[in-house]
Amino acid sequence: MAVGRRQYPFHLIEPKWQQHWEAQQSFRAWNPGEAVPANHPFAQRHGATPPEQLPKYYILDMFPYPSGAGLHVGHPEGYTATDILARYQRARGLHVLHPMGWDAFGLPAEQYAIKTGQHPRTTTEKNIATFKRQIKSLGFSYDWTREVNTTDPDYFKWSQWIFLKLYNSWFNPATERGEPIETLQCSGSTEAEKRTFRDSNRLAYVSEAPVWWCEQLGTVLANEEVVDGKSEVGGFPVVRKPMRQWMLRITSYAERLLKDLDTIDWSHSLKEMQRNWIGRSEGAEVDFPVADSTDKLRVFTTRPDTLFGATYMVLAPEHRLVDKITSPAQRAAVEDYKVQVGRKSDLERTELAKEKSGVFIGAYALNPVTGQRIPIWIADYVLISYGTGAIMAVPGHDTRDYEFATKFKLPIVQVVQPPAGTDWQGFVEDGVAVNSANAEISLNGLSTPEAKRKITAWLEAKGLGKKTINYKLRDWLFSRQRYWGEPFPIVWKQGPDGQPYHEALPESALPILPPPLDDYKPTPDGQPPLARAQDWVNLPDGSKRETNTMPQWAGRCWYYLRYLDPKNPNRFVDPTAEKYWMGTSQKDQGKAATAGVDLYVGGTEHAVLHLLYARFWHKVLFDLGYVSTSEPFNKLVNQGLILGEDAQKMSKARGNVVNPDDMVREFGADSLRLYEMFMGPLEMTKPWNTRGVEGVYRFLGRVWRLFVDEASETEFEQSETADPQQGVALLEKLRLHAAIAEAEPTAAQLKTLHATIKKVTEDLDGMRFNTAISALMVFVNEAMTWPNRPLRVLRDFLVLLQPFAPHLAEELSQRLHDLSLRKGAGRAQALSYFPWPSFDASLLVESTLEIPVQVNGKLRDVIQVAAEAPPADMESTALKAEKVQPFIAGKTIKKVIVIPKKLVNIVVAG
């Protein structure tokens, strides 16, 4: 850690400007129609221009979950990057929206409540206060008037409202859009039949689904919350268990979620992660009759051309027909195996390198093209959540099937001929069909694509199968058995037939608040915690409230929309504000504004699920006419991890967490901000090094000394040491360096400035923050040598510096204004709204060039010539060069090679 004398008084400067920005609401963004106070810096920059007439720039951070541990230095990396860009775009004259809020529902607060009895809201509010203090201490230019909190009833009222829109909608395959449920043509004669039909088509529906159940946590966990067969939180064992769950029909939007990736500016790798998760594959569904039964097993295959090579079938252990068709002799073995599989995660079950396992169930199916009886097995590598939960096994041409067949000594048949010299066993690529014929159809001799088309057409003609598209994407499990989450706006009633059915509450009933509880654990019989509140559950009309709650994903799926109009009690977002900030209501210099959030920055851990879920919700809202864009996030960038100093991921267990409070206390917020960006490219993973913070801290000290009189600083330090309570007053007495004056800059000074403007501007446009900082350092190194420091040049430098080190830049800008004030200048303008300087390319043109001079190809001297010097002048100057003379004296000059503006080579003999 740094010790001794401070490089500059950041401990006084930073609180001063943070208080100023907060009191002035300096970074507030204005919705269409809002009046901007005349004394606000926005009005000082843009005058009477209405905010909605300015081009917008909506820059968004993935809002944090406020954990009890607070921030570590890895968290502010993305926040610093977005703040730099927000400040840059604000200086460029754009109307910037840069908000912050809290993804505050979560399991940790509930687990703490179970242990201590303290209400999760108390814990959450305390954690939010810590996060907010830490974030504010770093000087980020957030519009805090738009702060949102997913646990605020005024917020989750609208999460519940969006759920009602999902519940009351269906996906029309004819229009490929979500539509109100009223447009669905119901089949059925009775109201109960119609209700069942509607419920089976809703975008939000109830299903009996096999889910991960954690006994210790008392809740269902999503796949992403299970790691190595244990809960991610707490590391408790989990098991598969069928339970009634709310599901969202995201699979209906799979094709649009895929296609629209081509319309947004995301990295190729990020798009591929989403494509792989959706997992589109073309193939055929084929029916295999179960021998000695009326049942059929439907499989999905991407290789129907290999149907003649199917020698056995494998079902997922959870398949609905397993219990029905298992023979009595195999039942015990099957039940034991199902218990074993129930302890494994989907990832463990499908791990390629694992030992293959499975059990024969004692039943057979009929291969529809060969008519042969083939055995039916269950195995963990077949998932009920993909395809139909059943596969036809073609061990000759599928790696897993081949390994399984080899282990259990099942038949292996060749049906694809590979290129010459390649073994057919386990060959999985395209080839030529062989051994693939029956009395009605022959695929022999056809290429794989031709064979696929022919067999699929034959299957369809025979009623044995059909061409289809399948997705790995499963419908979204959307309920949790928790207290700390949004209650569903749903009640359960009993029909005349005695069967329960669900019904939506009216929008006027929102928000549905969770009831107060003393015990946050599930009930002894396994019901969710909300079931303990019987007075809340049982309504006067005899109906019962839904006792599951929504997952944490719910609030984070749409928060970027609530930022646009966070205090509106009547709408989740005003249409005019939505159209402006999402870019569908304005033109930017003749071009359409960016549709959606202009830039979204966050960690790679949210690269798939959060983004996929948010895109799904957004598309439903778009289809229903509540938003004006089909995609929410135009450009997205993932920041890399910042590791501990031991190059390991920061964690309490490793003891390598670095607290930003310590860095701010020792070096100041501007130093921390600068170092976070100077470490390397934003997307890279980088290890923390506190000595690096010290380095940029020294640089900011040089910036301070470029502007401040050294004797004045010494007086300040001595006086503050004697009376620290007078620090703020003493700070105002510091004097500028005597070399700073209203003077015309020299050509060399202008060249240095404009080279810096060019470099920093281009680097910010390319998000190359580290090299932009390097350019600022180069400027300071040169400016420190200037005998005269023109005020105009230094003011432009501070505009370049302020996105990176805003506190220091504002303080120094105020002092430059004080100097100008003495010369009759008007009221100071906030540096955050100063226009971004543009560079003059003509000032960067070199008037003279340094030209290397070679003799027989070896460098002997460097000469200076006019930039436009003709070849003859270059040759003449080179021949006269002092250091060249010893190498050409008394020798015959055979020729002189001149490359204009680059090189002179003198060729001599003798």
Side-chain angles (χ1 to χ4, degrees):
M1 293 289 184
V3 293
R5 180 186 180 188
R6 290 189 181 93
Q7 291 285 331
Y8 68 102
F10 65 82
H11 64 299
L12 300 173
I13 292 170
E14 291 177 355
K16 167 186 172 181
W17 288 102
Q18 288 166 18
Q19 291 164 15
H20 173 81
W21 295 328
E22 183 161 2
Q24 197 178 47
Q25 294 186 349
S26 297
F27 308 113
R28 180 176 169 183
W30 310 88
N31 277 359
E34 287 188 323
V36 183
N39 62 346
H40 193 276
F42 184 97
Q44 293 174 18
R45 168 70 187 271
H46 299 292
T49 303
E52 62 269 24
Q53 291 186 14
L54 294 172
K56 63 93 181 181
Y57 190 78
Y58 184 5
I59 185 165
L60 181 67
D61 294 297
M62 290 186 183
F63 67 165
Y65 171 70
S67 67
L71 296 177
H72 63 63
V73 292
H75 291 111
E77 180 187 21
Y79 307 157
T80 304
T82 57
D83 192 61
I84 289 169
L85 293 173
R87 289 174 176 275
Y88 168 56
Q89 298 295 357
R90 205 175 278 119
R92 290 185 62 225
L94 275 66
H95 187 193
V96 174
L97 173 57
H98 188 34
M100 177 51 72
W102 316 106
D103 183 15
F105 279 122
L107 190 54
E110 180 155 345
Q111 288 301 298
Y112 189 74
I114 291 172
K115 290 178 183 177
T116 66
Q118 179 172 283
H119 195 287
R121 183 171 298 283
T122 303
T123 307
T124 300
E125 289 174 351
K126 179 181 177 183
N127 294 347
I128 287 174
T130 299
F131 265 65
K132 190 171 182 179
R133 175 190 60 76
Q134 290 183 300
I135 286 175
K136 282 191 169 184
S137 76
L138 297 175
F140 298 133
S141 61
Y142 291 126
D143 178 357
W144 287 105
T145 69
R146 294 175 183 259
E147 179 183 4
V148 300
N149 175 348
T150 57
T151 67
D152 183 347
D154 289 338
Y155 181 92
F156 70 68
K157 165 186 177 178
W158 298 105
S159 299
Q160 293 169 336
W161 179 86
I162 295 172
F163 176 82
L164 288 179
K165 296 304 169 187
L166 291 159
Y167 179 84
N168 289 316
S169 300
W170 70 295
F171 186 82
N172 187 340
T175 61
E176 296 186 339
R177 296 175 69 89
E179 296 179 6
I181 199 72
E182 291 77 15
T183 66
L184 177 65
Q185 297 297 313
C186 287
S187 63
S189 56
T190 68
E191 181 54 37
E193 289 173 343
K194 291 178 181 178
R195 182 169 57 241
T196 299
F197 183 77
R198 283 194 299 268
D199 291 348
S200 67
N201 283 276
R202 295 182 188 275
L203 290 180
Y205 65 96
V206 172
S207 173
E208 186 86 4
V211 296
W212 289 114
W213 172 255
C214 179
E215 190 69 35
Q216 281 88 340
L217 295 179
T219 189
V220 164
L221 300 175
N223 283 331
E224 65 274 7
E225 296 170 317
V226 177
V227 180
D228 297 328
K230 296 180 179 179
S231 62
E232 184 180 34
V233 175
F236 300 119
V238 297
V239 295
R240 282 296 219 190
K241 182 177 180 180
M243 294 184 73
R244 176 179 62 78
Q245 300 293 331
W246 282 96
M247 310 288 289
L248 298 186
R249 209 178 298 277
I250 190 174
T251 50
S252 295
Y253 281 79
E255 196 64 29
R256 280 172 61 187
L257 288 167
L258 269 177
K259 287 181 179 178
D260 287 355
L261 286 171
D262 294 333
T263 69
I264 50 182
D265 185 10
W266 295 10
S267 69
H268 174 74
S269 61
L270 184 55
K271 289 182 179 182
E272 281 301 295
M273 290 173 73
Q274 294 233 331
R275 290 187 182 109
N276 291 337
W277 191 267
I278 296 168
R280 185 184 193 274
S281 52
E282 296 184 7
E285 286 186 345
V286 185
D287 289 331
F288 283 68
V290 177
D292 307 316
S293 170
T294 58
D295 292 307
K296 292 181 179 180
L297 289 170
R298 176 163 291 183
V299 304
F300 170 79
T301 176
T302 60
R303 293 294 301 269
D305 58 300
T306 65
L307 195 52
F308 285 89
T311 60
Y312 64 99
M313 297 191 74
V314 184
L315 308 184
E318 303 90 348
H319 195 284
R320 63 181 179 83
L321 286 180
V322 170
D323 289 342
K324 183 177 180 181
I325 64 177
T326 295
S327 69
Q330 290 297 107
R331 188 162 301 280
V334 167
E335 291 302 320
D336 286 346
Y337 186 73
K338 287 168 68 175
V339 171
Q340 295 174 33
V341 173
R343 300 190 185 105
K344 298 180 182 179
S345 70
D346 288 357
L347 187 62
E348 290 175 298
R349 288 173 60 171
T350 55
E351 173 58 48
L352 289 172
K354 77 174 184 66
E355 180 73 14
K356 297 297 179 285
S357 68
V359 172
F360 173 50
I361 69 171
Y364 293 84
L366 301 178
N367 185 317
V369 295
T370 67
Q372 294 178 340
R373 288 167 62 94
I374 59 177
I376 303 173
W377 289 63
I378 58 171
D380 58 0
Y381 74 91
V382 178
L383 303 178
I384 193 66
S385 60
Y386 179 65
T388 63
I391 68 162
M392 65 176 208
V394 184
H397 305 289
D398 181 273
T399 302
R400 286 181 180 173
D401 294 348
Y402 177 77
E403 293 172 352
F404 192 92
T406 301
K407 177 174 180 177
F408 293 105
K409 298 181 173 53
L410 295 166
I412 301 173
V413 175
Q414 179 187 11
V415 290
V416 179
Q417 180 64 44
T422 302
D423 188 359
W424 67 266
Q425 294 199 57
F427 177 72
V428 300
E429 306 299 331
D430 287 2
V432 176
V434 295
N435 304 322
S436 299
N438 62 24
E440 297 184 29
I441 183 173
S442 174
L443 306 180
N444 292 335
L446 297 179
S447 67
T448 295
E450 292 175 308
K452 283 182 179 180
R453 286 192 290 271
K454 185 172 182 180
I455 189 65
T456 301
W458 183 82
L459 289 167
E460 289 182 330
K462 299 286 288 185
L464 297 172
K466 63 178 181 178
K467 181 179 180 181
T468 190
I469 295 172
N470 196 51
Y471 302 92
K472 283 196 300 184
L473 180 67
R474 298 294 89 197
D475 279 343
W476 178 7
L477 175 64
F478 195 69
S479 49
R480 300 290 187 271
Q481 289 64 49
R482 299 177 187 167
Y483 172 78
W484 194 227
E486 302 93 335
F488 282 93
I490 295 291
V491 294
W492 287 86
K493 298 184 176 183
Q494 197 168 59
D497 57 359
Q499 294 299 309
Y501 66 92
H502 47 78
E503 193 174 274
L505 288 168
E507 292 179 12
S508 60
L510 305 181
I512 308 299
L513 303 177
L517 290 180
D518 297 322
D519 188 345
Y520 301 99
K521 295 192 294 293
T523 64
D525 59 351
Q527 294 185 64
L530 293 184
R532 293 180 177 277
Q534 287 296 306
D535 290 344
W536 180 85
V537 172
N538 297 301
L539 298 176
D541 64 356
S543 60
K544 293 178 178 290
R545 293 187 189 273
E546 170 65 62
T547 55
N548 285 318
T549 54
M550 299 184 199
Q552 191 174 1
W553 301 105
R556 69 171 65 141
C557 273
W558 70 281
Y559 72 103
Y560 59 94
L561 292 169
R562 190 59 177 170
Y563 279 143
L564 309 183
D565 196 16
K567 303 297 191 293
N568 192 329
N570 302 314
R571 294 175 180 266
F572 84 111
V573 60
D574 178 79
T576 305
E578 187 275 331
K579 287 185 174 69
Y580 173 68
W581 289 114
M582 297 302 279
T584 56
S585 67
Q586 62 166 159
K587 299 291 182 181
D588 183 0
Q589 298 177 349
K591 299 179 181 178
T594 299
V597 174
D598 294 80
L599 178 63
Y600 193 20
V601 175
T604 54
E605 66 272 21
H606 301 299
V608 175
L609 295 176
H610 157 60
L611 295 173
L612 200 62
Y613 294 160
R615 292 179 64 218
F616 164 53
W617 275 34
H618 194 89
K619 288 183 183 300
V620 174
L621 292 170
F622 175 70
D623 289 351
L624 298 178
Y626 293 108
V627 297
S628 59
T629 65
S630 62
E631 284 286 334
F633 315 119
N634 177 67
K635 183 177 178 64
L636 188 140
V637 173
N638 287 135
Q639 76 220 35
L641 280 176
I642 292 183
L643 305 175
E645 298 208 44
D646 57 358
Q648 299 293 316
K649 187 174 180 178
M650 288 191 190
S651 73
K652 280 186 175 181
R654 292 193 181 96
N656 63 351
V657 172
V658 180
N659 190 322
D661 290 351
D662 296 335
M663 297 296 102
V664 171
R665 191 179 306 112
E666 195 69 30
F667 305 110
D670 284 343
S671 296
L672 177 59
R673 291 170 57 109
L674 213 61
Y675 177 64
E676 295 259 354
M677 295 295 98
F678 194 54
M679 295 172 74
L682 180 64
E683 298 88 349
M684 284 181 58
T685 296
K686 303 153 288 243
W688 182 264
N689 186 337
T690 300
R691 288 192 297 275
V693 189
E694 295 176 13
V696 295
Y697 175 51
R698 287 193 295 272
F699 161 67
L700 292 179
R702 285 172 60 80
V703 173
W704 176 254
R705 292 188 291 279
L706 177 66
F707 285 80
V708 174
D709 176 71
E710 185 176 355
S712 172
E713 184 179 12
T714 301
E715 293 171 11
F716 162 78
E717 290 174 349
Q718 291 172 347
S719 298
E720 194 205 9
T721 301
D723 189 358
Q725 299 300 317
Q726 295 299 312
V728 174
L730 293 168
L731 181 67
E732 302 305 319
K733 296 180 179 180
L734 281 162
R735 299 185 298 275
L736 284 173
H737 197 287
I740 298 174
E742 288 272 18
E744 280 300 310
T746 65
Q749 289 171 333
L750 286 174
K751 180 181 175 183
T752 297
L753 172 65
H754 283 260
T756 307
I757 295 171
K758 181 176 186 293
K759 177 65 174 168
V760 173
T761 302
E762 291 174 350
D763 284 348
L764 287 182
D765 287 338
M767 297 181 69
R768 298 182 295 271
F769 304 104
N770 55 324
T771 53
I773 294 168
S774 294
L776 296 172
M777 291 176 170
V778 170
F779 175 91
V780 171
N781 287 342
E782 293 196 32
M784 290 292 282
T785 67
W786 294 345
N788 297 304
R789 301 173 185 175
L791 189 145
R792 175 158 65 95
V793 171
L794 294 187
R795 184 181 290 117
D796 280 351
F797 166 74
L798 290 179
V799 177
L800 302 180
L801 179 66
Q802 73 88 11
F804 301 90
H807 308 89
L808 178 59
E810 285 273 20
E811 180 69 20
L812 294 174
S813 177
Q814 182 190 57
R815 294 180 183 283
L816 290 186
H817 179 76
D818 290 345
L819 177 63
S820 300
L821 201 61
R822 294 197 295 270
K823 300 178 181 296
R827 186 175 61 176
Q829 182 180 330
L831 181 64
S832 303
Y833 285 85
F834 266 39
W836 190 260
S838 56
F839 70 90
D840 185 343
S842 66
L843 296 173
L844 304 181
V845 176
E846 300 284 353
S847 58
T848 61
L849 298 175
E850 291 188 341
I851 304 294
V853 180
Q854 298 176 342
V855 177
N856 289 347
K858 294 184 179 180
L859 180 66
R860 298 304 183 186
D861 203 353
V862 177
I863 59 175
Q864 283 198 340
V865 299
E868 303 303 324
D873 289 356
M874 290 175 63
E875 177 179 337
S876 172
T877 304
L879 291 172
K880 295 175 184 176
E882 181 180 351
K883 294 181 181 178
V884 169
Q885 297 308 309
F887 300 97
I888 63 175
K891 298 179 180 178
T892 302
I893 297 176
K894 298 178 67 176
K895 61 179 175 179
V896 178
I897 301 169
V898 178
I899 302 177
K901 298 187 178 184
K902 290 189 176 180
L903 174 75
V904 176
N905 183 23
I906 304 168
V907 181
V908 300

